[in-house]
Amino acid sequence: MRRVAMLLLLLLWPSAKQACAARAAQPHQAPSSAPQQPFQATLASTPLLIQLGQSSAELGGLWKFHPGDNPAWAQPNFDDSAWGAMDLTPPPGSADETLGISGYIPGWMARGYPHYAGFAWYRIQVNVQGPNRRLALKMPSDVDDAYQVFANGHLIGSFGKFQGQHVTAYSTLPMDFLLPANSSHGPITIAIRMWMDSATPFNSPDAGGLHEPPVLGYASIIGALTQLDYDTTAQFMVSGLVESMIVFMALLMTLALFWLDRTERAYFWLALVCLAILLTNVIVISGQFTAWIGETLAVILTQVLLSPLQNGLWVLFWGYWFRIPRISLLHRVIWPLVALMMAGVAMLRPPLYGQHIPVQMAGLFDPLVLLVKLCIGIVFLVVVFRGLKRQRTEGGMAALAVLLIILANYRNEMRLLHIPIAFQLGGGFVVQLGTIATVVSLLIITVMLLMRFFHNQRLKEQWKLEIEQARQVQRILIPHDLPSVPGLAIQSEYRPAREVGGDFFQVLPSQPPGSVLIMLGDVTGKGMQAGMLVAVIVGAMRAVAQHSSDPEKILHEINIQLCERRHTSATCLILHIDPQGNVTLASAGQLPPYLNSRELEVPGALPLGTIPDADHSVVTLTLQPGDTLTLMSDGIVEAQDPSGALFGFDRIDALLKDRATAAQIATAAQEFGQEDDILVLTVHKEESTRATPQTHGQKVAA
């Protein structure tokens, strides 16, 4: 296809063409090989006289033309007198009505060969008069779609990949080819073997072959003209290059922000938007300077895949940005629409359109694709409307960014309304409306991203400070040095799963002298809320213990306080042990303790904070010298390995039979796979009554 036409096709991504109905109504004519008046005339084989005093000359005028393909047509002695003529002299004031290119020559479809695609040949004989210097031929930068150039029967160059009758076309690049050294003076027969894809006729009503005359001249001059064409392309592409650089920087920034804050999913989805835009620009821009990707593949990647994907990703980004509820529903709505849009666009692009999809179907698919795209736009506006109602602080900047994104994504529909979408600047530079909208919207969104990131960081710092304060409170409430109790050896091991744990315990001297109160429990939830609830429970327990040593009464008082707070609950176990080893145990849903290696039978009971008048399980027993009571939280039993297997009661039984210490039990569960706070407390009745000071070893979870 033509270079500039393909450039606009990829950059502007047309989704609807005004000429679709007209195309569908046109009868599909068979390729014509006979000359048709008034476009062709049979000519005598008279060489075109070229004087190279000015170093180069356009090979305008009448060329011989014939559709079809035959290798013999490249030979200089071939008789082409029966061929038709094709005038490659640009008419005065001629221009491409679609692209506005001056000096434009309509292709063979508009000159007697409508709907013809495939191979065709141009031939001309020139007689070079002038200095005997090396010559080169500059081919037009506007051709459909690929070609091979022969000079006096010798192949001097080609554009496109020719493999037998199969040809891969690329977006046309400025090309020049050296003529053989013995062709610098005298008669030269130039033959051009053209090939046009069968889908190209449906992109333009005047497609086919050469749209500018080739230029013959000295090799140095031709090289300079080719470089000038590249410079012109660079001027046309400068806005796309600027857009690509800004999009690339936005991509790096969003990835960095997402790496720093994984909780903000909007960063991730904006990174996907930037990646889709950047990939599109890379394909388009590289296609104007290199022949690394075929036109058909470029169209599939940019128009069929990336363009619909961008529309969907923008909607999802704003959904995450505004944190709209039920985001999964938005996914279920957007992705089917994107898939429908991809399928519809694929029906209107090569290689399907014109080959497998009848051209008459364009009148059906074009409105459907436009309808699906408008549906995505409606969902987009609904998301933005709901988001602006929820977050009014960012309303002005977000509304402006959204408006610009709509301009960028729906610029082709503006073409249908005759709204200009490209602007010519000084020096030949062209700026696209979509480029301006994309760049400015990304700059606005970048400012919004940084503002939200710094706001989130401030909140995190405040949250960390509050958590640290809660940790300090909990360190005061969770004893580190355990009191000395005559006749008892008490050990504890506490390893929270987070900075602020939900498990708790207390060991307090009690009445009568030589007695001890031991409390162990687990609050609902984790983190700071759980830590604050621990502070409430421990404070209540200490207050009640000052005037009562009855475990059941203490549980009752704590239960009333938690019920008054509402939506808070905790399991708890309180023991009172007197100097004779008599134990009174009251439980509110806590795991039963173990006596030596045997689990005590403790009736079930409701956790604290459930109902005000709940009954609590009460059990009494007597510790004999050498007996050991082991209390633990459910973090031991519920520890999981990577495969999901639980630590379980069997492993606990095995550890207790081996007389494992509190630290050994906690370490075994932690290494198995800690999921929750781990708390183990053991009370051993000694053989003698000698007092032994005890210490509590507290470790941070690995």
Side-chain angles (χ1 to χ4, degrees):
M1 299 178 187
R2 289 166 291 164
R3 174 178 60 86
V4 181
M6 194 60 199
L7 172 63
L8 292 180
L9 183 69
L10 294 176
L11 282 178
L12 303 181
W13 306 333
S15 60
K17 295 182 177 61
Q18 292 176 308
C20 287
R23 288 204 311 262
Q26 290 178 352
H28 190 77
Q29 302 179 21
S32 173
S33 60
Q36 300 185 22
Q37 298 296 336
F39 302 105
Q40 284 102 13
T42 302
L43 298 177
S45 298
T46 302
L48 179 65
L49 182 62
I50 299 298
Q51 293 285 346
L52 290 180
Q54 300 299 321
S55 302
S56 67
E58 285 189 349
L59 300 184
L62 296 175
W63 286 61
K64 296 297 186 67
F65 176 82
H66 198 282
D69 190 33
N70 189 334
W73 296 349
Q75 300 304 316
N77 56 0
F78 175 76
D79 183 8
D80 56 12
S81 59
W83 284 21
M86 190 75 70
D87 192 351
L88 297 185
T89 302
S94 64
D96 183 353
E97 296 179 357
T98 304
L99 305 174
I101 301 173
S102 60
Y104 176 80
I105 301 172
W108 69 56
M109 283 183 55
R111 308 179 73 176
Y113 300 91
H115 306 294
Y116 177 71
F119 287 99
W121 284 72
Y122 291 82
R123 282 173 56 91
I124 193 171
Q125 292 182 347
V126 299
N127 189 0
V128 179
Q129 301 294 322
N132 189 9
R133 294 169 57 183
R134 190 70 181 269
L135 302 179
L137 182 71
K138 175 184 174 297
M139 289 296 291
S141 298
D142 192 358
V143 301
D144 299 318
D145 287 310
Y147 57 80
Q148 291 179 310
V149 182
F150 298 84
N152 290 335
H154 299 285
L155 178 65
I156 62 173
S158 63
F159 185 79
K161 185 181 295 184
F162 287 79
Q163 297 174 323
Q165 294 297 306
H166 177 73
V167 181
T168 300
Y170 302 91
S171 182
T172 313
L173 302 176
M175 300 292 292
D176 59 73
F177 307 103
L178 286 172
L179 270 65
N182 57 359
S183 302
S184 59
H185 189 78
I188 305 174
T189 298
I190 298 175
I192 302 175
R193 184 193 186 202
M194 295 295 310
W195 179 86
M196 184 172 72
D197 188 273
S198 58
T200 304
F202 307 112
N203 294 327
S204 175
D206 59 358
L210 304 175
H211 295 281
E212 299 172 7
V215 178
L216 180 66
Y218 301 144
S220 58
I221 301 301
I222 293 299
L225 293 176
T226 302
Q227 184 59 48
L228 183 61
D229 278 355
Y230 273 110
D231 293 342
T232 303
T233 301
Q235 290 179 332
F236 192 87
M237 296 299 300
V238 67
S239 63
L241 292 171
V242 172
E243 177 186 7
S244 299
M245 289 187 293
I246 293 177
V247 171
F248 180 69
M249 290 187 291
L251 174 62
L252 293 180
M253 188 196 69
T254 52
L255 289 176
L257 292 177
F258 181 66
W259 182 73
L260 294 172
D261 185 4
R262 302 291 181 87
T263 61
E264 184 58 75
R265 303 293 294 176
Y267 299 152
F268 172 75
W269 290 97
L270 182 61
L272 292 181
V273 172
C274 294
L275 182 60
I277 297 175
L278 188 61
L279 287 176
T280 301
N281 288 355
V282 168
I283 293 172
V284 173
I285 294 174
S286 61
Q288 307 312 306
F289 298 97
T290 63
W292 72 283
I293 184 171
E295 284 183 332
T296 299
L297 180 58
V299 169
I300 292 174
L301 291 176
T302 56
Q303 297 185 43
V304 177
L305 298 178
L306 292 174
S307 177
L309 188 62
Q310 284 185 43
N311 285 269
L313 290 175
W314 272 122
V315 178
L316 292 172
F317 161 71
W318 286 107
Y320 281 96
W321 177 262
F322 290 122
R323 299 188 178 99
I324 64 171
R326 303 181 65 185
I327 194 71
S328 59
L329 177 60
L330 182 61
H331 279 274
R332 291 195 293 270
V333 171
I334 282 297
W335 290 121
L337 290 175
V338 170
L340 284 175
M341 186 174 174
M342 288 179 177
V345 174
M347 299 296 181
L348 297 171
R349 300 293 185 269
L352 296 180
Y353 186 61
Q355 298 186 45
H356 305 284
I357 303 299
V359 66
Q360 293 80 6
M361 298 297 291
L364 172 64
F365 286 116
D366 265 334
L368 290 178
V369 171
L370 182 59
L371 178 62
V372 173
K373 189 173 183 180
L374 291 177
C375 288
I376 295 177
I378 292 173
V379 176
F380 184 29
L381 293 176
V382 170
V383 168
V384 172
F385 177 75
R386 294 183 60 186
L388 292 176
K389 288 181 62 178
R390 290 169 55 89
Q391 298 183 16
R392 298 181 181 273
T393 56
E394 300 171 341
M397 295 179 66
L400 179 58
V402 167
L403 177 61
L404 293 171
I405 292 168
I406 292 175
L407 290 176
N409 289 349
Y410 291 86
R411 55 187 179 271
N412 296 306
E413 286 67 30
M414 296 178 187
R415 292 177 64 196
L416 300 178
L417 300 176
H418 304 288
I419 298 176
I421 61 173
F423 306 94
Q424 185 82 28
L425 303 180
F429 295 104
V430 177
V431 178
Q432 304 291 334
L433 176 63
T435 298
I436 299 174
T438 300
V439 169
V440 177
S441 64
L442 283 177
L443 292 176
I444 294 174
I445 293 173
T446 298
V447 174
M448 295 170 60
L449 288 176
L450 293 174
M451 291 173 58
R452 174 170 291 189
F453 176 76
F454 291 131
H455 175 71
N456 290 343
Q457 290 302 111
R458 286 194 298 269
L459 292 179
K460 285 184 178 181
E461 291 300 322
Q462 295 175 1
W463 184 251
K464 288 180 180 178
L465 179 60
E466 293 176 359
I467 289 178
E468 181 59 29
Q469 293 172 345
R471 288 185 63 186
Q472 297 300 329
V473 171
Q474 192 173 44
R475 284 176 180 175
I476 297 174
L477 297 175
I478 301 298
H480 185 272
D481 295 324
L482 302 182
S484 175
V485 181
L488 298 178
I490 303 175
Q491 295 181 348
S492 66
E493 196 71 24
Y494 178 44
R495 302 180 185 181
R498 297 186 180 182
E499 290 86 351
V500 181
D503 289 357
F504 60 92
F505 74 98
Q506 289 287 294
V507 180
L508 303 175
S510 184
Q511 297 295 325
S515 300
V516 65
L517 272 174
I518 299 176
M519 178 177 66
L520 180 144
D522 182 8
V523 302
T524 303
K526 296 180 178 65
M528 188 171 179
Q529 182 179 4
M532 294 299 97
L533 185 56
V534 168
V536 172
I537 295 174
V538 171
M541 186 256 188
R542 285 177 173 271
V544 178
Q546 291 180 359
H547 57 78
S548 176
S549 59
D550 183 1
E552 184 178 15
K553 184 176 180 180
I554 296 174
L555 282 181
H556 180 71
E557 293 292 336
I558 297 174
N559 182 55
I560 291 176
Q561 292 195 32
L562 292 187
C563 288
E564 291 176 351
R565 295 175 64 89
R566 298 182 181 181
H567 309 296
T568 57
S569 63
T571 60
C572 190
L573 180 71
I574 299 180
L575 301 92
H576 179 268
I577 306 176
D578 65 16
Q580 289 73 40
N582 298 315
V583 180
T584 301
L585 182 153
S587 176
Q590 183 66 28
L591 290 177
Y594 285 80
L595 178 59
N596 299 322
S597 61
R598 179 177 56 85
E599 183 179 348
L600 293 177
E601 294 184 3
V602 179
L606 292 174
L608 300 174
T610 306
I611 55 177
D613 55 351
D615 293 328
H616 307 296
S617 303
V618 180
V619 175
T620 60
L621 66 145
T622 300
L623 291 177
Q624 301 298 327
D627 286 347
T628 300
L629 270 177
T630 303
L631 295 75
M632 63 187 70
S633 65
D634 56 6
I636 303 292
V637 180
E638 295 176 356
Q640 294 184 21
D641 65 8
S643 64
L646 294 176
F647 190 79
F649 292 99
D650 292 340
R651 290 183 174 85
I652 294 175
D653 293 339
L655 289 169
L656 293 176
K657 288 178 181 179
D658 292 338
R659 300 181 179 274
T661 64
Q664 290 172 337
I665 296 173
T667 299
Q670 189 176 41
E671 291 178 351
F672 188 81
Q674 182 175 3
E675 295 289 332
D676 200 354
D677 299 334
I678 290 176
L679 174 58
V680 184
L681 189 145
T682 61
V683 181
H684 178 70
K685 177 70 172 175
E686 295 180 329
E687 299 291 343
S688 65
T689 59
R690 178 176 54 88
T692 304
Q694 309 298 332
T695 59
H696 162 59
Q698 181 173 339
K699 300 179 182 179
V700 179

